[in-house]
């Protein structure tokens, strides 16, 4: 499969989800929408990777889920960040900062 | 906190996988709906919006699977699911499942039962502290591989092993005990103080005796727990009480703990009841080295191995030989040795048990092969299903795992059933076991045995599922789905199955040959003429306490009177008495000199087994007189000394001459020489067992014989009575006559010669019976294997046969082809089996009596039998092949 514009670089999706959940608790669709909006529609989140990613984060204890209500009044899983998740976000942000700085240096765009 | 939540979440998902999946599905549906709404809001018509959203989203099912796999514990869940699936699949095929389970239960049951017995007898440690430090001390010389010690040798060894924790000697006897009630014969152990130190045993109550009490033959006794309970009602105040033992008072000074056994009690059904000091005077002359009647034990010092201990003992033995050259002639080959106690007790039965274990192990291999065959058939039957699952995305590992889960489930259920079977089976085996097998009471289910059973099951599971799982995993999905019923798995499976069956036939040949040889050997043994009659003879022992029969005259008078009493019992035709009953007790040997041939100093004198008999013994026992006369009532204490010898003694010392009238000299340097004239020759009696070589034997008159040690006659004799009535009637009458004559006496070792005879060959009979049953089971299973593999092969080749028939092949030709095929498999197996038999003939021969392991007649018979049975087993498949309907066969695809 060829890489399309807007595909999320492998490994960064977890960080993006954690970042979104750091601001507010959201359901799965909301998370996808928020990432899309924040990136000005550059980043398109594929549902096929979103839900496995969410369950991976649940499994590692970085997010938790409760049954909340959607805007339409139907019950839906709402995800929020745990203390461990916040710590993880912090370390991932640091790593990302170093990485992107390094990539920029190489590309001469810094 | 986070850690807890993480695991709660994981466990919840594991426990309620349906709920987790449902939630996932819910939120995906919600996601899809939101996407549709968003598109509708942008002005896309609802139908188009749904189509686009669905397209972008992809298959819900696939995502759900990915979500599931992202979670921890998925492998475990798969395992559970496979297990559930396997259970359901097994229940749906009850015949198949029961066949596999039944085969497994028999295989695991028999093997575990035998292991239970081997464990109880050979492996369990002896009931003494640090049992591996206890060794048996024994002598050996030419012709006597395991001989006992004499009192001077015991004293010398005690001196030489002073720095060892304990060394002592003991012997057994019976005594008449009187205490609150009728007199009773009891088994008593005479032990030196060193024996109690060597066994490191401390009493449960009271104390043990000291070395001083031992040396001074103090009138004390220690009761075993069992006797204390049965005879003294577990009297808590027993210590200090006095009891009449053979007419003398003895004080009870201790009671042993319940687990205490004298080593010989482990091999004998009659346990020791009390223990008294041996009472050797350490100051006796040590010049007389003969009279070997002591069993001996020693405890090795910490850190000394049994082998090192043996070296120390061997060196001590050499020093004795140097110190007393007259006692140990050069050509005697005298040695002293140390053997681990456990080896010395179970050594005699070890080869038989290991042989049985090997036999059952081979039967178990056949069981595994059969089960593997069944599983393989099932897997190849499922080729289509498995290929389909693979096409739908199941990984190869998942498929292999699924097949293995089913096998492991079967194996575990089989072990559980097998352990239940083995409990019943080992009980039955113990009940069948001949008398005198050591440590029967130690046989039983224990964690080691359970572990063995389950381990065996799992091993079987792995063994018989490896190949099917391999084929299942390798199955080429596309090829299978395209090719229809015939698949690569079928052909590979068939080839593998063939080799399994070749192996089965080979093992069956080894087992059947072994069983045939062992059975033939047993039959040869049972046909040996024991030299006496075995039917309608009752025997019982009586011992006379020296307190109530102090003089020689009283002893002789008692026996004459009691034998007359016994002869008067209605139905009793012949009565006599003897010191040692054939096949039941060992004999001592005695050296002698021939009148016409004096033995020079330093040369070993000839010796012979000896018995003391009363008039009537030969007639009562049915020992045939060849020439001369038997011992009669004319042989009085003061008349000419006489001896009756057996055929072997006559031909050894007077070959080709008439021994009647020759004289032998007994006693030698020990006492006044005593002359005995040969008056008769009788048939050889196989005293030690039917498989034992003939030995020279001599019989003295009870009235004339005197022990060299004390110059007194024999006090304990075994009466034998031939009768025309029931043994139990004779025994009851004997008891009554004895009570009339002297109520303080009791009969012991009441038995019939028939029982003694049957006990003497019980061990080989037991072994041959068991091997025969294992080999029949194995043979039947192997035939089932041949039948199964041929049947499956024919089914797989239905199309081929159909084509051949359509092209004009005769049905008989097809049947012949199948038969030839079966024959090839059998032939290959037989050849391999025969090579194995010939290669191991040296080992097999150790278990055989008068039969050669390479006996051509036996080998040919077994091979022909197995091959014709295998031919029969392929008959049904051959018929099936000959009845192939070409039209049906070709349409079936």
């Amino acid at each position: 499969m060829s890489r399309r514009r807007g595909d999320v670089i492998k490994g960064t999706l977890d960080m993006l989800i954690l970042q979104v959940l750091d601001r507010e608790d959201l359901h799965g669709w909301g998370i996808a929408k928020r990432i899309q909006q924040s990136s000005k529609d550059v980043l398109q989140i594929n549902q096929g990777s979103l839900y496995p990613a969410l369950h991976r984060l649940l499994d590692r204890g970085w997010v938790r889920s409760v049954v909340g209500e959607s805007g339409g009044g139907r019950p839906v899983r709402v995800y929020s960040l745990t203390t461990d998740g916040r710590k993880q976000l912090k370390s991932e942000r640091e790593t990302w900062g170093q990485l992107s700085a390094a990539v920029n240096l190489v590309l001469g765009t810094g | 906190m986070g850690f807890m939540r993480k695991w709660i979440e994981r466990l919840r998902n594991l426990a309620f996988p349906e709920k987790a999946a449902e939630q996932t599905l819910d939120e995906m549906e919600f996601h899809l709906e939101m996407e549709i709404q968003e598109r509708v809001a942008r002005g896309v018509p609802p139908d188009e919006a749904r189509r686009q959203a669905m397209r972008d989203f992809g298959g819900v099912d696939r995502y759900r699977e990915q979500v599931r796999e992202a979670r921890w514990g998925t492998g475990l869940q798969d395992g559970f699911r496979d297990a559930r699936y396997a259970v359901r699949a097994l229940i749906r095929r009850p015949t198949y499942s029961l066949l596999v389970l039944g085969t497994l239960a028999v295989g695991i049951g028999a093997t575990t039962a035998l292991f239970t017995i081997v464990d109880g007898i050979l492996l369990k440690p002896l009931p003494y502290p640090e049992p591996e430090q206890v060794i048996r001390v024994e002598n050996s010389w030419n012709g006597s591989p395991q001989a006992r010690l004499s009192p001077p040798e015991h004293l010398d060894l005690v001196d030489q092993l002073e720095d060892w924790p304990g060394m002592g000697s003991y012997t057994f006897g019976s005594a008449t005990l009187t205490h609150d009630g009728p007199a009773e014969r009891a088994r008593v152990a005479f032990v030196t103080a060193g024996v109690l130190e060597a066994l490191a045993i401390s009493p449960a109550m009271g104390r043990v005796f000291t070395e001083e009490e031992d040396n001074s033959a103090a009138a004390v006794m220690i009761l075993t727990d069992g006797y204390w309970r049965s005879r003294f009602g577990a009297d808590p105040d027993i210590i200090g009480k006095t009891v009449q033992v053979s007419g003398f008072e003895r004080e009870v000074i201790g009671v042993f703990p319940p687990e205490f056994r004298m080593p010989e009690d482990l091999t004998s059904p009659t346990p020791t009841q009390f223990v008294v000091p041996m009472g050797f005077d350490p100051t006796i002359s040590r010049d007389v080295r003969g009279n070997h009647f002591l069993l001996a034990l020693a405890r090795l010092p910490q850190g000394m191995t049994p082998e090192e201990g043996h070296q120390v003992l061997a060196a001590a033995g050499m020093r004795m030989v140097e110190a007393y050259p007259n006692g140990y002639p050069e050509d005697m080959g005298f040695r002293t040795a140390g053997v681990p106690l456990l080896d010395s007790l179970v050594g005699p039965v070890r080869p038989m048990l290991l042989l049985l274990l090997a036999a059952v192990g081979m039967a178990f291999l056949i069981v595994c092969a059969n089960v593997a065959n069944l599983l393989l058939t099932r897997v190849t039957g499922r080729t289509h299903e498995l290929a389909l699952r693979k096409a739908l995305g199941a990984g190869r590992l998942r498929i292999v795992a699924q097949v293995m889960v089913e096998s492991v489930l079967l194996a575990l259920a089989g072990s559980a059933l097998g352990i239940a079977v083995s409990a019943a089976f080992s009980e039955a085996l113990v009940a069948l076991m001949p008398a005198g097998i050591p440590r029967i009471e130690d046989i039983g289910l224990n964690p080691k045995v359970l572990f063995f059973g389950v381990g065996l099951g799992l091993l079987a599971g792995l063994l018989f599922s490896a190949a099917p799982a391999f084929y299942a995993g390798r199955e080429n999905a596309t090829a299978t789905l395209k090719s229809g019923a015939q698949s690569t798995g079928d052909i590979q499976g068939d080839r593998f199955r063939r080799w399994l069956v070749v192996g089965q036939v080979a093992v069956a040949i080894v087992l059947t040959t072994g069983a045939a040889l062992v059975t033939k050997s047993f039959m040869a043994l049972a046909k040996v003429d024991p030299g006496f009659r075995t039917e309608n003879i009752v025997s019982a022992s009586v011992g006379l306490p020296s307190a109530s029969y102090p003089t020689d005259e009283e002893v002789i008078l008692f026996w004459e009177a009691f034998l007359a009493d016994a002869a008067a019992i209605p139905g009793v035709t012949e009565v006599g008495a003897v010191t040692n009953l054939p096949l039941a007790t060992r004999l001592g040997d005695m050296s002698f000199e021939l009148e016409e041939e004096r033995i020079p100093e330093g040369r070993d004198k000839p010796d012979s087994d000896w018995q003391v008999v009363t008039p009537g013994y030969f007639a009562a026992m049915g020992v045939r007189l060849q020439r001369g006369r038997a011992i009669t009532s004319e042989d009085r204490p003061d008349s000419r000394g006489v001896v009756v010898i057996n055929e072997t003694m006559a031909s050894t010392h007077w070959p080709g001459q008439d021994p009647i009238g020759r004289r032998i000299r007994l006693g030698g340097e020990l006492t006044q020489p005593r002359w005995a004239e040969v008056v008769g020759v009788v048939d050889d009696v196989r005293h030690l067992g039917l498989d034992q070589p003939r030995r020279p034997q001599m019989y003295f008159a009870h009235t004339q014989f005197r022990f060299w040690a004390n110059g007194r006659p024999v006090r304990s004799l075994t009466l034998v009575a031939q009768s025309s009535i029931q043994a139990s009637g004779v025994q009851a009458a004997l008891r009554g006559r004895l009570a009339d004559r002297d109520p303080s006496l009791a009969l012991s070792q009441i038995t019939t010669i028939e029982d003694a005879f049957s006990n003497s060959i019980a061990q080989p009979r037991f072994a041959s019976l068991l091997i025969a049953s294992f080999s029949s089971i194995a043979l039947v299973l192997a035939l089932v294997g041949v039948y199964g593999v041929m049947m499956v092969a024919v089914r797989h080749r239905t199309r081929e046969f159909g084509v051949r028939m359509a092209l004009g092949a005769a049905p008989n030709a097809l049947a012949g082809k199948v038969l030839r095929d079966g024959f090839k498999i059998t032939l290959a197996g037989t050849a391999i089996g025969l090579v194995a038999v010939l290669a191991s003939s040296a080992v097999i021969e150790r278990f055989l009596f008068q039969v050669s392991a390479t006996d051509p007649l036996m080998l040919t018979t077994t091979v022909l039998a197995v091959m014709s049975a295998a031919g029969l087993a392929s008959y049904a498949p051959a018929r099936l092949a000959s009845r192939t309907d070409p039209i049906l066969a070709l349409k079936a695809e």
Side-chain angles (χ1 to χ4, degrees):
Chain A
M1 227 197 274
S2 64
R3 175 163 285 272
R4 285 185 327 217
R5 208 177 93 96
D7 273 1
V8 175
I9 301 167
K10 213 177 165 80
T12 57
L13 179 60
D14 289 6
M15 181 179 68
L16 295 177
I17 295 173
L18 293 176
Q19 175 66 35
V20 168
L21 290 179
D22 194 26
R23 304 227 177 95
E24 55 186 319
D25 297 352
L26 278 173
H27 41 68
W29 185 73
I31 295 169
K33 281 294 126 186
R34 183 70 73 231
I35 292 173
Q36 200 179 330
Q37 284 166 8
S38 308
S39 65
K40 304 206 171 80
D41 286 346
V42 172
L43 293 176
Q44 303 277 347
I45 303 301
N46 184 337
Q47 299 86 330
S49 38
L50 175 67
Y51 289 100
L54 277 171
H55 282 272
R56 196 162 51 236
L57 296 178
L58 273 173
D59 193 46
R60 291 180 188 164
W62 294 338
V63 303
R64 75 185 128 217
S65 74
V66 290
V67 178
E69 265 188 26
S70 73
R74 68 178 276 176
V76 69
R77 270 176 126 178
V78 172
Y79 298 86
S80 59
L81 211 55
T82 64
T83 324
D84 281 357
R86 207 152 277 129
K87 272 188 223 147
Q88 178 66 17
L89 174 61
K90 190 163 169 266
S91 88
E92 286 206 19
R93 283 184 71 114
E94 278 163 17
T95 314
W96 177 254
Q98 288 164 2
L99 189 67
S100 63
V103 172
N104 284 337
L105 277 175
V106 173
L107 295 177
T109 51
Chain B
M1 185 58 197
F3 176 80
M4 284 291 294
R5 189 170 34 242
K6 181 163 84 184
W7 279 97
I8 289 170
E9 173 79 16
R10 283 179 177 181
L11 290 177
R12 201 177 58 199
N13 284 337
L14 196 60
F16 307 107
E18 296 85 2
K19 201 165 170 216
E22 201 178 295
Q23 285 177 3
T24 311
L25 194 61
D26 274 358
E27 67 183 337
M28 286 190 180
E29 273 171 7
F30 170 71
H31 196 117
L32 198 59
E33 267 174 41
M34 295 303 281
E35 289 283 327
I36 295 166
Q37 277 177 28
E38 206 184 32
R39 284 180 169 81
V40 170
R42 282 207 302 262
V44 184
D47 282 0
E48 177 62 12
R50 168 165 288 273
R51 207 187 56 77
Q52 281 179 9
M54 293 282 270
R55 185 198 58 206
D56 287 354
F57 197 89
V60 172
D61 283 354
R62 195 156 61 93
Y63 295 140
R64 197 160 48 147
E65 186 65 13
Q66 281 174 4
V67 166
R68 212 172 69 79
E69 275 173 12
R71 273 203 307 262
W72 176 89
T74 302
L76 213 56
Q77 258 176 36
D78 285 347
F80 288 147
R81 205 182 46 193
D82 286 348
R84 272 205 307 270
Y85 183 81
V87 168
R88 249 181 271 143
L90 290 175
I91 290 172
R92 258 203 313 276
R93 283 179 191 72
T95 327
Y96 161 80
S97 309
L98 287 179
L99 200 60
V100 173
L101 277 183
T103 315
L104 269 180
V106 169
I108 294 178
T111 316
T112 310
L114 221 71
F115 178 76
T116 313
I117 288 166
V118 168
D119 171 62
I121 294 176
L122 300 186
L123 302 179
K124 258 194 206 165
L126 292 170
Y128 310 113
E130 295 176 62
E132 66 288 343
Q133 292 299 101
V134 186
I135 59 168
R136 156 88 65 228
V137 180
E138 60 190 20
N139 286 331
S140 68
W141 57 83
N142 297 339
S144 295
Q146 286 164 330
R148 300 184 176 194
L149 269 57
S150 67
E153 287 163 353
H154 156 79
L155 293 170
D156 282 351
L157 288 176
V158 167
D159 288 350
Q160 294 206 34
L161 304 175
E162 225 173 16
D163 47 347
W164 283 23
M167 143 79 208
S169 300
Y170 59 101
T171 183
F172 296 93
S174 49
T176 310
L177 183 136
T178 326
H179 176 81
D180 278 356
E184 185 176 282
R185 295 284 279 176
R187 182 168 157 94
V188 49
F190 302 88
V191 314
T192 70
V195 169
L196 301 174
E197 289 165 5
L199 295 178
I201 214 73
S202 42
M205 234 167 44
R207 61 181 183 88
V208 297
F209 48 80
T210 62
E211 208 176 313
E212 289 69 44
E213 284 174 306
D214 176 18
N215 292 340
S216 62
V220 296
M221 64 196 287
I222 309 171
L223 301 175
T224 59
D225 182 81
Y227 199 51
W228 173 59
R229 286 174 198 283
S230 65
R231 186 64 178 74
F232 298 93
D235 177 4
D237 302 320
I238 190 72
I239 306 296
K241 290 197 175 158
T242 52
V243 174
Q244 287 267 330
V245 177
S246 295
F248 295 100
E249 297 216 315
R250 277 186 187 271
E251 181 190 343
V252 177
I253 58 165
V255 177
F256 285 117
E259 70 277 7
F260 173 76
R261 300 276 183 284
M262 286 299 285
E264 279 63 27
D265 291 353
L266 299 166
T267 72
S268 144
T270 51
T272 303
Q273 290 163 319
F274 60 90
V275 168
V276 303
M278 178 79 83
F280 281 142
D281 179 358
T283 62
I284 59 162
S285 157
R286 299 193 185 178
D287 294 338
V288 178
R289 309 298 293 183
N291 199 13
H292 295 95
F293 68 96
L294 294 171
L295 293 156
L297 290 172
R299 180 170 282 269
L300 298 168
Q302 284 296 330
M304 188 186 275
T305 66
E307 178 51 34
E308 288 162 354
H310 165 72
Q311 297 299 341
V312 172
L313 283 166
M318 288 323 291
R319 279 195 289 277
M320 292 197 293
V321 171
E322 280 159 26
Y324 304 96
N326 282 339
Y328 306 104
E330 252 173 65
D331 55 359
M332 182 180 178
F334 180 89
R335 302 252 184 294
T336 301
V339 188
L341 182 58
L342 183 61
D343 288 0
S344 117
L345 290 176
V346 303
V349 295
R350 181 178 285 145
M352 177 189 86
L353 284 178
L354 294 183
L355 179 75
L356 290 178
L357 197 62
V360 82
M362 284 193 244
F364 180 68
L365 280 182
I366 295 191
V367 163
C368 284
N370 255 9
V371 174
N373 247 335
L374 282 167
L375 285 181
L376 198 56
T377 310
R378 168 145 160 68
V379 166
T380 45
R382 281 168 68 188
T383 315
H384 242 78
E385 173 206 337
L386 294 176
L388 207 58
R389 286 167 61 88
K390 210 171 192 181
L392 290 177
R396 175 176 168 177
L397 264 181
R398 288 278 304 111
I399 290 191
V400 169
Q402 209 192 338
V403 171
M404 303 262 303
V405 160
E406 200 176 300
S407 320
V408 169
L409 266 185
L410 277 173
L412 284 178
S415 324
L417 275 179
I419 288 169
V421 168
S422 84
F425 195 42
S426 61
E427 227 165 82
L429 283 184
V430 167
L432 269 179
M433 269 212 237
I437 294 249
R439 309 180 75 196
I440 281 193
E441 59 185 81
D442 286 333
I443 294 169
L445 219 54
N446 61 38
K448 208 190 317 173
V449 168
L450 287 181
F451 185 76
F452 179 86
V454 174
L456 208 58
L458 284 179
L459 177 76
L462 287 179
L463 271 184
F464 58 60
S465 69
F470 175 70
Y471 285 114
R474 210 164 73 164
E475 194 61 51
N476 181 330
T478 330
T480 305
L481 289 176
K482 270 190 197 151
S483 73
Q486 182 73 6
S487 75
T488 48
D490 285 350
I491 290 160
Q492 285 166 345
D494 281 356
R495 199 173 305 144
F496 182 77
R497 249 192 297 261
R498 247 162 231 264
W499 280 110
L500 271 184
V501 173
V502 166
Q504 281 184 314
V505 172
V507 175
I509 285 274
V510 172
L511 262 183
T512 316
T513 320
L517 289 171
V518 170
T519 308
K520 186 175 178 194
S521 144
F522 172 71
M523 276 157 50
L525 183 64
K527 258 197 289 196
V528 171
D529 177 13
F532 53 85
R533 259 182 72 166
T534 55
E535 310 89 28
N536 303 328
I537 304 178
V538 172
S539 73
S541 306
V542 182
L544 303 179
S546 50
S548 36
Y549 295 83
T551 69
D552 300 356
E553 288 70 33
E554 281 168 300
V555 173
I556 292 170
L557 275 176
F558 168 84
W559 276 106
E560 281 174 351
F562 183 51
L563 289 175
D565 288 348
I569 295 172
V572 169
T573 49
E574 302 281 352
V575 170
V578 67
T579 33
N580 294 292
L581 208 57
L583 302 176
T585 44
R586 310 204 136 257
L587 279 184
D589 54 20
M590 188 187 285
S591 52
F592 59 90
E593 287 179 273
L594 308 179
E595 187 177 25
E596 58 267 40
E597 182 190 11
R598 281 300 164 83
I599 308 296
E601 281 287 310
R603 276 272 314 283
D604 203 7
K605 290 192 288 183
D607 59 26
S608 162
D609 293 348
W610 60 273
Q611 291 265 54
V612 173
V613 300
T614 68
Y617 170 73
F618 295 120
M621 198 65 186
V623 178
R624 197 175 63 92
L625 189 67
Q626 292 186 346
R627 57 171 66 201
R629 67 170 177 88
I631 303 286
T632 68
S633 51
E634 303 298 307
D635 297 310
R636 306 305 309 169
D638 49 0
S639 65
R640 179 171 59 109
V642 296
V643 61
V644 170
I645 61 173
N646 73 346
E647 194 185 344
T648 297
M649 183 159 169
S651 62
T652 309
H653 297 293
W654 297 280
Q657 304 165 42
D658 186 358
I660 305 290
R662 308 292 180 131
R663 296 209 306 166
I664 58 172
R665 195 172 82 134
L666 305 161
E669 71 269 17
L670 303 177
T671 49
Q672 277 298 95
R674 191 181 287 272
W675 290 97
E677 183 184 325
V678 176
V679 293
V681 179
V682 291
D683 276 356
D684 289 346
V685 167
R686 305 271 184 170
H687 190 92
L688 289 181
L690 298 180
D691 57 342
Q692 298 298 312
R694 296 157 188 268
R695 294 214 4 114
Q697 290 159 334
M698 46 193 182
Y699 299 87
F700 301 106
H702 179 242
T703 49
Q704 296 183 339
F705 182 83
R706 297 291 181 275
F707 276 122
W708 62 263
N710 56 12
R712 311 292 301 273
V714 177
R715 294 182 166 276
S716 293
L717 286 178
T718 299
L719 177 143
V720 292
Q722 208 179 100
S723 72
S724 52
I725 59 167
Q726 285 261 316
S728 54
V730 179
Q731 287 159 351
L734 279 176
R735 245 189 232 108
R737 300 291 155 117
L738 184 64
D740 289 348
R741 186 152 293 282
D742 183 346
S744 77
L745 297 177
L747 289 178
S748 63
Q749 293 159 47
I750 306 164
T751 181
T752 65
I753 301 300
E754 204 164 356
D755 285 351
F757 180 74
S758 132
N759 279 342
S760 79
I761 51 172
Q763 252 194 49
R765 181 174 46 216
F766 176 71
S768 69
L769 184 76
L770 236 56
I771 291 185
S773 30
F774 291 152
S775 79
S776 339
I777 295 174
L779 188 60
V780 168
L781 288 175
L783 293 180
V784 169
V786 172
Y787 169 81
V789 76
M790 295 315 293
M791 223 42 186
V792 171
V794 168
R795 288 224 182 91
H796 286 166
R797 292 166 70 184
T798 308
R799 183 155 67 161
E800 179 203 327
F801 287 146
V803 171
R804 280 171 187 262
M805 247 188 200
L807 293 178
N812 280 343
L814 293 185
K817 200 173 150 38
V818 173
L819 281 178
R820 265 199 306 283
D821 229 32
F823 182 72
K824 263 195 280 185
I825 294 179
T826 318
L827 199 63
T830 305
I832 296 175
L834 268 183
V835 169
V837 168
L838 293 179
S840 56
S841 60
V843 180
I844 299 175
E845 232 150 61
R846 294 223 325 264
F847 299 98
L848 300 179
F849 174 75
Q850 292 183 352
V851 176
S852 154
T854 50
D855 184 331
L857 184 67
M858 289 302 281
L859 289 187
T860 321
T861 317
T862 338
V863 166
L864 284 181
V866 171
M867 293 198 43
S868 37
L872 273 179
S874 23
Y875 176 71
R879 248 169 80 95
L880 183 71
S882 73
R883 288 180 169 182
T884 309
D885 182 332
I887 301 175
L888 279 183
L890 295 173
K891 260 195 189 162
E893 307 284 301

